[in-house]
Protein backbone atom coordinates (compact mmCIF):
# COMPACT_ATOMS: atom_id res chain seq x y z
CA UNK A 1 0.00 0.00 0.00
CA UNK A 2 1.12 3.54 -0.76
CA UNK A 3 2.54 5.28 2.30
CA UNK A 4 1.77 8.97 2.67
CA UNK A 5 4.79 10.95 3.79
CA UNK A 6 5.07 14.53 5.03
CA UNK A 7 8.40 16.27 4.49
CA UNK A 8 9.28 18.96 7.03
CA UNK A 9 11.90 21.40 5.80
CA UNK A 10 13.19 24.85 6.69
CA UNK A 11 15.58 25.48 3.85
CA UNK A 12 16.33 24.89 0.23
CA UNK A 13 14.89 21.41 0.14
CA UNK A 14 17.38 19.52 -2.00
CA UNK A 15 16.59 16.35 -0.05
CA UNK A 16 12.89 16.90 -0.70
CA UNK A 17 13.75 17.19 -4.39
CA UNK A 18 15.75 13.95 -4.27
CA UNK A 19 12.73 12.19 -2.74
CA UNK A 20 10.38 13.61 -5.38
CA UNK A 21 12.83 12.61 -8.13
CA UNK A 22 13.16 9.07 -6.73
CA UNK A 23 9.38 8.70 -6.81
CA UNK A 24 9.09 10.13 -10.32
CA UNK A 25 11.84 7.88 -11.68
CA UNK A 26 10.23 4.82 -10.09
CA UNK A 27 13.16 4.13 -7.74
CA UNK A 28 10.82 4.61 -4.81
CA UNK A 29 7.52 2.96 -5.51
CA UNK A 30 5.44 2.63 -2.41
CA UNK A 31 5.58 6.23 -1.20
CA UNK A 32 3.82 9.49 -2.05
CA UNK A 33 4.75 12.95 -0.79
CA UNK A 34 1.36 14.05 0.51
CA UNK A 35 2.46 17.24 2.21
CA UNK A 36 5.41 19.61 2.71
CA UNK A 37 5.52 21.69 5.90
CA UNK A 38 7.89 24.52 6.74
CA UNK A 39 8.48 26.86 9.66
CA UNK A 40 9.87 29.41 7.21
CA UNK A 41 7.52 31.17 4.89
CA UNK A 42 10.08 31.63 2.14
CA UNK A 43 11.73 28.23 2.33
CA UNK A 44 12.58 27.13 -1.19
CA UNK A 45 11.35 23.66 -0.21
CA UNK A 46 7.78 25.06 -0.29
CA UNK A 47 8.35 26.38 -3.79
CA UNK A 48 9.65 22.99 -4.95
CA UNK A 49 6.48 21.38 -3.57
CA UNK A 50 4.19 23.93 -5.23
CA UNK A 51 5.90 23.26 -8.56
CA UNK A 52 4.82 19.62 -8.21
CA UNK A 53 1.31 20.44 -6.97
CA UNK A 54 2.07 18.99 -3.56
CA UNK A 55 0.05 20.37 -0.65
CA UNK A 56 2.10 22.84 1.44
CA UNK A 57 1.69 24.34 4.89
CA UNK A 58 3.58 27.12 6.68
CA UNK A 59 3.62 26.80 10.46
CA UNK A 60 4.69 30.14 11.93
CA UNK A 61 6.21 29.65 15.39
CA UNK A 62 5.29 33.21 16.39
CA UNK A 63 1.63 32.20 16.47
CA UNK A 64 2.13 29.63 19.25
CA UNK A 65 2.80 30.22 22.92
CA UNK A 66 5.14 27.25 23.34
CA UNK A 67 7.02 24.61 21.37
CA UNK A 68 4.54 22.02 22.56
CA UNK A 69 1.55 24.05 21.37
CA UNK A 70 3.22 24.31 17.98
CA UNK A 71 3.78 20.56 17.87
CA UNK A 72 0.24 19.77 19.04
CA UNK A 73 -1.17 21.79 16.18
CA UNK A 74 1.24 20.28 13.69
CA UNK A 75 0.57 16.71 14.84
CA UNK A 76 -3.18 17.32 14.58
CA UNK A 77 -2.70 18.54 11.02
CA UNK A 78 -0.48 15.60 10.07
CA UNK A 79 -3.05 13.19 11.49
CA UNK A 80 -5.84 14.96 9.63
CA UNK A 81 -3.81 14.45 6.45
CA UNK A 82 -3.42 10.76 7.32
CA UNK A 83 0.36 10.93 7.24
CA UNK A 84 2.12 7.60 7.77
CA UNK A 85 5.71 8.83 7.97
CA UNK A 86 7.26 12.18 8.91
CA UNK A 87 10.49 12.93 7.05
CA UNK A 88 12.66 15.70 8.47
CA UNK A 89 14.81 17.25 5.77
CA UNK A 90 16.64 20.25 7.17
CA UNK A 91 13.82 21.11 9.59
CA UNK A 92 15.44 23.48 12.08
CA UNK A 93 13.24 22.70 15.07
CA UNK A 94 13.77 20.11 17.77
CA UNK A 95 10.58 18.07 18.11
CA UNK A 96 8.95 17.95 21.54
CA UNK A 97 8.30 14.61 23.30
CA UNK A 98 4.61 15.11 22.44
CA UNK A 99 5.39 14.97 18.71
CA UNK A 100 7.86 12.09 19.06
CA UNK A 101 5.32 10.03 21.00
CA UNK A 102 2.52 10.75 18.52
CA UNK A 103 4.64 9.45 15.62
CA UNK A 104 6.78 6.91 17.48
CA UNK A 105 8.90 4.93 15.02
CA UNK A 106 7.47 7.00 12.18
CA UNK A 107 9.84 9.98 12.10
CA UNK A 108 13.12 9.97 10.15
CA UNK A 109 15.90 12.54 10.03
CA UNK A 110 19.01 13.00 7.93
CA UNK A 111 22.13 14.49 9.42
CA UNK A 112 25.33 15.60 7.64
CA UNK A 113 27.86 13.74 9.81
CA UNK A 114 28.60 10.25 11.03
CA UNK A 115 26.56 10.27 14.23
CA UNK A 116 27.08 10.19 17.14
CA UNK A 117 29.91 12.52 16.09
CA UNK A 118 28.97 16.13 15.50
CA UNK A 119 25.23 16.33 16.22
CA UNK A 120 23.42 19.66 16.14
CA UNK A 121 23.07 22.51 13.72
CA UNK A 122 26.65 22.65 12.36
CA UNK A 123 27.61 19.04 11.74
CA UNK A 124 29.70 19.78 8.65
CA UNK A 125 31.55 22.79 10.06
CA UNK A 126 32.17 21.03 13.38
CA UNK A 127 33.64 17.95 11.69
CA UNK A 128 35.90 20.10 9.51
CA UNK A 129 37.03 22.20 12.47
CA UNK A 130 37.82 19.05 14.45
CA UNK A 131 40.10 17.92 11.65
CA UNK A 132 38.49 14.53 10.97
CA UNK A 133 39.74 12.67 7.90
CA UNK A 134 36.43 10.92 7.28
CA UNK A 135 32.88 12.17 7.69
CA UNK A 136 29.58 11.42 5.97
CA UNK A 137 25.87 11.33 6.58
CA UNK A 138 23.40 9.45 8.75
CA UNK A 139 19.71 8.62 8.41
CA UNK A 140 18.13 7.82 11.75
CA UNK A 141 14.87 7.47 13.61
CA UNK A 142 13.97 10.49 15.70
CA UNK A 143 13.65 10.25 19.47
CA UNK A 144 13.47 13.01 22.09
CA UNK A 145 17.19 13.79 21.89
CA UNK A 146 19.18 15.88 19.46
CA UNK A 147 20.19 13.52 16.61
CA UNK A 148 20.25 10.54 19.00
CA UNK A 149 17.72 8.03 17.60
CA UNK A 150 18.56 4.55 16.22
CA UNK A 151 20.70 4.71 13.07
CA UNK A 152 19.21 3.31 9.87
CA UNK A 153 21.91 3.99 7.26
CA UNK A 154 25.27 5.73 7.19
CA UNK A 155 27.77 6.43 4.50
CA UNK A 156 31.25 7.84 4.81
CA UNK A 157 33.40 10.06 2.62
CA UNK A 158 36.97 11.32 2.96
CA UNK A 159 37.66 14.94 3.85
CA UNK A 160 39.94 16.56 1.27
CA UNK A 161 42.88 18.69 2.34
CA UNK A 162 41.46 21.83 0.74
CA UNK A 163 37.80 21.26 1.66
CA UNK A 164 35.72 24.20 2.88
CA UNK A 165 32.38 23.82 4.67
CA UNK A 166 30.72 24.48 1.31
CA UNK A 167 32.67 21.93 -0.77
CA UNK A 168 32.37 19.27 1.92
CA UNK A 169 28.64 19.87 2.42
CA UNK A 170 28.14 19.67 -1.34
CA UNK A 171 29.65 16.17 -1.45
CA UNK A 172 27.69 15.13 1.65
CA UNK A 173 24.51 16.34 -0.02
CA UNK A 174 25.19 14.03 -2.95
CA UNK A 175 25.37 11.10 -0.50
CA UNK A 176 22.23 12.26 1.28
CA UNK A 177 20.25 12.38 -1.94
CA UNK A 178 20.98 8.70 -2.49
CA UNK A 179 20.67 7.50 1.10
CA UNK A 180 17.43 9.21 2.16
CA UNK A 181 15.16 7.73 -0.55
CA UNK A 182 16.70 4.34 0.21
CA UNK A 183 15.98 4.59 3.94
CA UNK A 184 12.42 5.81 3.30
CA UNK A 185 11.82 2.86 0.95
CA UNK A 186 13.12 0.43 3.56
CA UNK A 187 10.72 1.92 6.11
CA UNK A 188 7.79 1.83 3.67
CA UNK A 189 8.50 -1.82 2.88
CA UNK A 190 8.37 -2.63 6.59
CA UNK A 191 12.00 -3.82 6.56
CA UNK A 192 13.26 -1.82 9.54
CA UNK A 193 13.12 -3.26 13.03
CA UNK A 194 14.21 -1.33 16.10
CA UNK A 195 15.85 -3.37 18.86
CA UNK A 196 17.00 -1.08 21.63
CA UNK A 197 19.50 1.31 20.10
CA UNK A 198 19.92 -0.78 16.98
CA UNK A 199 17.91 -0.69 13.80
CA UNK A 200 18.01 -4.00 11.97
CA UNK A 201 17.34 -4.15 8.24
CA UNK A 202 15.52 -7.21 6.89
CA UNK A 203 17.27 -8.69 3.88
CA UNK A 204 15.00 -9.19 0.88
C1 LIG B 1 21.07 18.51 4.97
O1 LIG B 1 22.46 18.58 4.90
C2 LIG B 1 20.64 17.65 6.13
O2 LIG B 1 21.57 16.68 6.45
C3 LIG B 1 20.52 18.65 7.25
O3 LIG B 1 20.04 19.82 6.65
C4 LIG B 1 20.43 19.85 5.28
C5 LIG B 1 19.19 20.11 4.49
O4 LIG B 1 19.50 20.37 3.14
N1 LIG B 1 19.67 18.12 8.30
P1 LIG B 1 18.34 20.55 2.06
O5 LIG B 1 17.42 21.67 2.57
O6 LIG B 1 17.62 19.26 1.93
O7 LIG B 1 19.04 20.95 0.81
Amino acid sequence: MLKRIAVLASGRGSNLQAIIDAIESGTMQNVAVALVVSDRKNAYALERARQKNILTAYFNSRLFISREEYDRELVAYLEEQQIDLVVLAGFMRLLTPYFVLAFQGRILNIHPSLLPAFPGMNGVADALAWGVKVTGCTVHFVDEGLDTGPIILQEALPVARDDTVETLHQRIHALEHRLYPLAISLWAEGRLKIEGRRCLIDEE
Side-chain angles (χ1 to χ4, degrees):
M1 218 187 49
L2 207 61
K3 300 286 183 191
R4 289 168 61 78
I5 70 172
V7 178
L8 276 50
S10 303
R12 70 188 187 111
S14 70
N15 279 287
L16 164 67
Q17 191 65 53
I19 293 164
I20 292 171
D21 292 348
I23 293 171
E24 285 187 349
S25 69
T27 319
M28 206 157 55
Q29 290 184 347
N30 38 10
V31 164
V33 181
L35 170 68
V36 173
V37 176
S38 185
D39 59 333
R40 307 237 172 108
K41 197 173 174 198
N42 297 320
Y44 190 60
L46 291 175
E47 181 53 30
R48 290 183 198 267
R50 285 192 286 264
Q51 283 170 12
K52 297 289 178 182
N53 293 317
I54 295 168
L55 181 65
T56 60
Y58 162 50
F59 270 70
N60 181 353
S61 60
R62 297 212 183 109
L63 301 180
F64 299 89
I65 52 163
S66 66
R67 285 176 51 230
E68 181 161 323
E69 276 311 308
Y70 185 100
D71 281 6
R72 280 183 184 273
E73 195 81 17
L74 183 48
V75 163
Y77 184 58
L78 295 170
E79 281 170 350
E80 190 184 302
Q81 293 298 323
Q82 300 180 316
I83 296 303
D84 298 302
L85 178 71
V86 176
V87 172
L88 306 183
F91 190 57
M92 294 314 218
R93 293 176 64 87
L94 186 61
L95 304 184
T96 59
Y98 176 83
F99 193 131
V100 174
L101 194 66
F103 277 88
Q104 192 98 55
R106 297 191 295 142
I107 312 170
L108 307 187
N109 184 41
I110 188 150
H111 184 77
S113 76
L114 292 175
L115 291 172
F118 313 113
M121 298 265 285
N122 303 307
V124 180
D126 292 348
L128 195 62
W130 192 267
V132 295
K133 304 294 187 196
V134 173
T135 185
C137 71
T138 304
V139 183
H140 63 95
F141 281 105
V142 172
D143 63 11
E144 284 87 356
L146 179 63
D147 302 324
T148 50
I151 291 169
I152 301 168
L153 293 173
Q154 284 187 308
E155 200 163 314
L157 60 73
V159 178
R161 187 188 166 102
D162 56 356
D163 258 330
T164 60
V165 174
E166 288 70 34
T167 58
L168 185 55
H169 205 164
Q170 205 173 9
R171 295 207 311 289
I172 292 175
H173 260 125
L175 288 186
E176 292 185 338
H177 298 162
R178 210 159 26 78
L179 227 57
Y180 218 0
L182 185 58
I184 294 166
S185 294
L186 290 170
W187 183 89
E189 289 163 10
R191 290 171 59 195
L192 303 179
K193 196 162 85 199
I194 301 174
E195 278 186 8
R197 277 221 47 86
R198 299 184 72 200
C199 170
L200 307 178
I201 302 174
D202 271 354
E203 300 299 328
E204 271 180 309

mmCIF file of all heavy atoms in Angstrom, residues 58-79:
data_model
loop_
_atom_site.group_PDB
_atom_site.id
_atom_site.type_symbol
_atom_site.label_atom_id
_atom_site.label_comp_id
_atom_site.label_asym_id
_atom_site.label_seq_id
_atom_site.Cartn_x
_atom_site.Cartn_y
_atom_site.Cartn_z
ATOM 1 N N TYR A 58 2.581 26.312 5.963
ATOM 2 C CA TYR A 58 3.579 27.117 6.679
ATOM 3 C C TYR A 58 3.115 27.222 8.125
ATOM 4 O O TYR A 58 2.030 27.727 8.396
ATOM 5 C CB TYR A 58 3.673 28.487 6.004
ATOM 6 C CG TYR A 58 4.324 29.560 6.852
ATOM 7 C CD1 TYR A 58 5.553 29.354 7.486
ATOM 8 C CD2 TYR A 58 3.723 30.810 6.989
ATOM 9 C CE1 TYR A 58 6.141 30.347 8.245
ATOM 10 C CE2 TYR A 58 4.300 31.820 7.743
ATOM 11 C CZ TYR A 58 5.514 31.578 8.371
ATOM 12 O OH TYR A 58 6.093 32.558 9.133
ATOM 13 N N PHE A 59 3.935 26.716 9.037
ATOM 14 C CA PHE A 59 3.620 26.801 10.465
ATOM 15 C C PHE A 59 4.532 27.852 11.098
ATOM 16 O O PHE A 59 5.726 27.615 11.295
ATOM 17 C CB PHE A 59 3.812 25.430 11.145
ATOM 18 C CG PHE A 59 2.570 24.596 11.119
ATOM 19 C CD1 PHE A 59 2.107 24.055 9.931
ATOM 20 C CD2 PHE A 59 1.845 24.367 12.287
ATOM 21 C CE1 PHE A 59 0.956 23.291 9.900
ATOM 22 C CE2 PHE A 59 0.691 23.612 12.267
ATOM 23 C CZ PHE A 59 0.245 23.065 11.072
ATOM 24 N N ASN A 60 3.946 28.994 11.400
ATOM 25 C CA ASN A 60 4.690 30.138 11.926
ATOM 26 C C ASN A 60 4.802 30.024 13.453
ATOM 27 O O ASN A 60 3.793 30.084 14.153
ATOM 28 C CB ASN A 60 3.926 31.408 11.528
ATOM 29 C CG ASN A 60 4.607 32.670 11.994
ATOM 30 O OD1 ASN A 60 5.592 32.617 12.734
ATOM 31 N ND2 ASN A 60 4.075 33.799 11.555
ATOM 32 N N SER A 61 6.041 29.876 13.948
ATOM 33 C CA SER A 61 6.210 29.650 15.390
ATOM 34 C C SER A 61 5.746 30.844 16.226
ATOM 35 O O SER A 61 5.406 30.689 17.401
ATOM 36 C CB SER A 61 7.664 29.317 15.708
ATOM 37 O OG SER A 61 8.482 30.382 15.325
ATOM 38 N N ARG A 62 5.707 32.024 15.624
ATOM 39 C CA ARG A 62 5.287 33.212 16.395
ATOM 40 C C ARG A 62 3.814 33.136 16.809
ATOM 41 O O ARG A 62 3.383 33.853 17.691
ATOM 42 C CB ARG A 62 5.484 34.473 15.559
ATOM 43 C CG ARG A 62 6.933 34.696 15.216
ATOM 44 C CD ARG A 62 7.262 36.174 15.115
ATOM 45 N NE ARG A 62 8.650 36.325 14.723
ATOM 46 C CZ ARG A 62 9.030 36.751 13.534
ATOM 47 N NH1 ARG A 62 8.129 37.115 12.645
ATOM 48 N NH2 ARG A 62 10.306 36.828 13.234
ATOM 49 N N LEU A 63 3.068 32.267 16.170
ATOM 50 C CA LEU A 63 1.632 32.196 16.472
ATOM 51 C C LEU A 63 1.326 31.234 17.618
ATOM 52 O O LEU A 63 0.159 31.049 17.971
ATOM 53 C CB LEU A 63 0.857 31.757 15.230
ATOM 54 C CG LEU A 63 0.995 32.654 14.002
ATOM 55 C CD1 LEU A 63 0.167 32.110 12.850
ATOM 56 C CD2 LEU A 63 0.575 34.083 14.336
ATOM 57 N N PHE A 64 2.372 30.628 18.202
ATOM 58 C CA PHE A 64 2.133 29.632 19.252
ATOM 59 C C PHE A 64 2.844 30.057 20.534
ATOM 60 O O PHE A 64 3.944 30.605 20.481
ATOM 61 C CB PHE A 64 2.632 28.257 18.803
ATOM 62 C CG PHE A 64 1.927 27.768 17.563
ATOM 63 C CD1 PHE A 64 2.414 28.086 16.302
ATOM 64 C CD2 PHE A 64 0.757 27.027 17.658
ATOM 65 C CE1 PHE A 64 1.749 27.663 15.150
ATOM 66 C CE2 PHE A 64 0.095 26.598 16.513
ATOM 67 C CZ PHE A 64 0.585 26.920 15.255
ATOM 68 N N ILE A 65 2.209 29.752 21.665
ATOM 69 C CA ILE A 65 2.797 30.224 22.922
ATOM 70 C C ILE A 65 3.960 29.348 23.391
ATOM 71 O O ILE A 65 4.778 29.781 24.174
ATOM 72 C CB ILE A 65 1.743 30.345 24.062
ATOM 73 C CG1 ILE A 65 0.971 29.031 24.201
ATOM 74 C CG2 ILE A 65 0.823 31.528 23.828
ATOM 75 C CD1 ILE A 65 0.244 28.937 25.526
ATOM 76 N N SER A 66 4.033 28.119 22.911
ATOM 77 C CA SER A 66 5.144 27.255 23.337
ATOM 78 C C SER A 66 5.479 26.280 22.209
ATOM 79 O O SER A 66 4.711 26.114 21.256
ATOM 80 C CB SER A 66 4.746 26.460 24.586
ATOM 81 O OG SER A 66 3.709 25.559 24.255
ATOM 82 N N ARG A 67 6.631 25.616 22.364
ATOM 83 C CA ARG A 67 7.024 24.612 21.370
ATOM 84 C C ARG A 67 6.020 23.475 21.352
ATOM 85 O O ARG A 67 5.708 22.928 20.305
ATOM 86 C CB ARG A 67 8.420 24.078 21.689
ATOM 87 C CG ARG A 67 9.509 25.084 21.331
ATOM 88 C CD ARG A 67 10.867 24.568 21.741
ATOM 89 N NE ARG A 67 11.131 23.230 21.256
ATOM 90 C CZ ARG A 67 11.570 22.222 22.001
ATOM 91 N NH1 ARG A 67 11.801 22.393 23.279
ATOM 92 N NH2 ARG A 67 11.768 21.042 21.475
ATOM 93 N N GLU A 68 5.492 23.130 22.531
ATOM 94 C CA GLU A 68 4.540 22.017 22.565
ATOM 95 C C GLU A 68 3.227 22.378 21.866
ATOM 96 O O GLU A 68 2.653 21.548 21.158
ATOM 97 C CB GLU A 68 4.276 21.543 23.991
ATOM 98 C CG GLU A 68 3.304 20.378 23.962
ATOM 99 C CD GLU A 68 3.293 19.524 25.199
ATOM 100 O OE1 GLU A 68 4.355 19.311 25.791
ATOM 101 O OE2 GLU A 68 2.188 19.068 25.551
ATOM 102 N N GLU A 69 2.785 23.629 22.058
ATOM 103 C CA GLU A 69 1.554 24.046 21.368
ATOM 104 C C GLU A 69 1.733 23.954 19.853
ATOM 105 O O GLU A 69 0.837 23.535 19.122
ATOM 106 C CB GLU A 69 1.173 25.481 21.767
ATOM 107 C CG GLU A 69 0.379 25.579 23.047
ATOM 108 C CD GLU A 69 -0.804 24.608 23.083
ATOM 109 O OE1 GLU A 69 -1.601 24.605 22.108
ATOM 110 O OE2 GLU A 69 -0.920 23.839 24.045
ATOM 111 N N TYR A 70 2.888 24.391 19.404
ATOM 112 C CA TYR A 70 3.222 24.313 17.977
ATOM 113 C C TYR A 70 3.115 22.863 17.505
ATOM 114 O O TYR A 70 2.452 22.547 16.517
ATOM 115 C CB TYR A 70 4.651 24.832 17.785
ATOM 116 C CG TYR A 70 5.142 24.937 16.357
ATOM 117 C CD1 TYR A 70 5.152 26.160 15.692
ATOM 118 C CD2 TYR A 70 5.655 23.822 15.678
ATOM 119 C CE1 TYR A 70 5.636 26.277 14.398
ATOM 120 C CE2 TYR A 70 6.131 23.928 14.384
ATOM 121 C CZ TYR A 70 6.127 25.157 13.747
ATOM 122 O OH TYR A 70 6.603 25.254 12.459
ATOM 123 N N ASP A 71 3.750 21.972 18.266
ATOM 124 C CA ASP A 71 3.778 20.563 17.874
ATOM 125 C C ASP A 71 2.391 19.920 17.955
ATOM 126 O O ASP A 71 2.043 19.068 17.137
ATOM 127 C CB ASP A 71 4.781 19.791 18.733
ATOM 128 C CG ASP A 71 6.212 20.007 18.245
ATOM 129 O OD1 ASP A 71 6.411 20.824 17.332
ATOM 130 O OD2 ASP A 71 7.128 19.351 18.784
ATOM 131 N N ARG A 72 1.599 20.331 18.933
ATOM 132 C CA ARG A 72 0.243 19.775 19.039
ATOM 133 C C ARG A 72 -0.563 20.104 17.785
ATOM 134 O O ARG A 72 -1.242 19.245 17.215
ATOM 135 C CB ARG A 72 -0.485 20.326 20.270
ATOM 136 C CG ARG A 72 -0.097 19.630 21.536
ATOM 137 C CD ARG A 72 -0.876 20.147 22.737
ATOM 138 N NE ARG A 72 -0.385 19.485 23.929
ATOM 139 C CZ ARG A 72 -0.842 18.308 24.379
ATOM 140 N NH1 ARG A 72 -1.827 17.701 23.758
ATOM 141 N NH2 ARG A 72 -0.321 17.754 25.448
ATOM 142 N N GLU A 73 -0.443 21.350 17.376
ATOM 143 C CA GLU A 73 -1.175 21.789 16.180
ATOM 144 C C GLU A 73 -0.663 21.062 14.933
ATOM 145 O O GLU A 73 -1.440 20.611 14.096
ATOM 146 C CB GLU A 73 -0.967 23.299 16.029
ATOM 147 C CG GLU A 73 -1.917 23.975 15.083
ATOM 148 C CD GLU A 73 -3.265 24.260 15.717
ATOM 149 O OE1 GLU A 73 -3.383 24.234 16.959
ATOM 150 O OE2 GLU A 73 -4.204 24.499 14.952
ATOM 151 N N LEU A 74 0.641 20.935 14.854
ATOM 152 C CA LEU A 74 1.243 20.283 13.689
ATOM 153 C C LEU A 74 0.875 18.793 13.647
ATOM 154 O O LEU A 74 0.488 18.270 12.589
ATOM 155 C CB LEU A 74 2.771 20.474 13.742
ATOM 156 C CG LEU A 74 3.609 19.930 12.591
ATOM 157 C CD1 LEU A 74 3.045 20.323 11.240
ATOM 158 C CD2 LEU A 74 5.056 20.418 12.719
ATOM 159 N N VAL A 75 0.935 18.134 14.785
ATOM 160 C CA VAL A 75 0.571 16.710 14.845
ATOM 161 C C VAL A 75 -0.892 16.534 14.431
ATOM 162 O O VAL A 75 -1.228 15.631 13.658
ATOM 163 C CB VAL A 75 0.824 16.136 16.264
ATOM 164 C CG1 VAL A 75 0.083 14.821 16.474
ATOM 165 C CG2 VAL A 75 2.318 15.931 16.492
ATOM 166 N N ALA A 76 -1.753 17.415 14.923
ATOM 167 C CA ALA A 76 -3.177 17.319 14.578
ATOM 168 C C ALA A 76 -3.355 17.434 13.063
ATOM 169 O O ALA A 76 -4.128 16.684 12.449
ATOM 170 C CB ALA A 76 -3.969 18.417 15.291
ATOM 171 N N TYR A 77 -2.601 18.356 12.475
ATOM 172 C CA TYR A 77 -2.696 18.543 11.019
ATOM 173 C C TYR A 77 -2.168 17.315 10.265
ATOM 174 O O TYR A 77 -2.779 16.841 9.298
ATOM 175 C CB TYR A 77 -1.935 19.806 10.617
ATOM 176 C CG TYR A 77 -2.049 20.136 9.152
ATOM 177 C CD1 TYR A 77 -3.301 20.339 8.557
ATOM 178 C CD2 TYR A 77 -0.923 20.232 8.344
ATOM 179 C CE1 TYR A 77 -3.420 20.626 7.206
ATOM 180 C CE2 TYR A 77 -1.020 20.525 6.996
ATOM 181 C CZ TYR A 77 -2.267 20.716 6.434
ATOM 182 O OH TYR A 77 -2.382 20.993 5.099
ATOM 183 N N LEU A 78 -1.066 16.772 10.724
ATOM 184 C CA LEU A 78 -0.485 15.596 10.067
ATOM 185 C C LEU A 78 -1.439 14.399 10.168
ATOM 186 O O LEU A 78 -1.584 13.623 9.222
ATOM 187 C CB LEU A 78 0.876 15.240 10.699
ATOM 188 C CG LEU A 78 1.986 16.288 10.526
ATOM 189 C CD1 LEU A 78 3.191 15.948 11.397
ATOM 190 C CD2 LEU A 78 2.414 16.391 9.066
ATOM 191 N N GLU A 79 -2.097 14.292 11.323
ATOM 192 C CA GLU A 79 -3.054 13.187 11.489
ATOM 193 C C GLU A 79 -4.269 13.388 10.585
ATOM 194 O O GLU A 79 -4.756 12.451 9.960
ATOM 195 C CB GLU A 79 -3.457 13.064 12.962
ATOM 196 C CG GLU A 79 -2.365 12.343 13.751
ATOM 197 C CD GLU A 79 -2.561 12.393 15.257
ATOM 198 O OE1 GLU A 79 -3.442 13.154 15.726
ATOM 199 O OE2 GLU A 79 -1.810 11.683 15.970
#
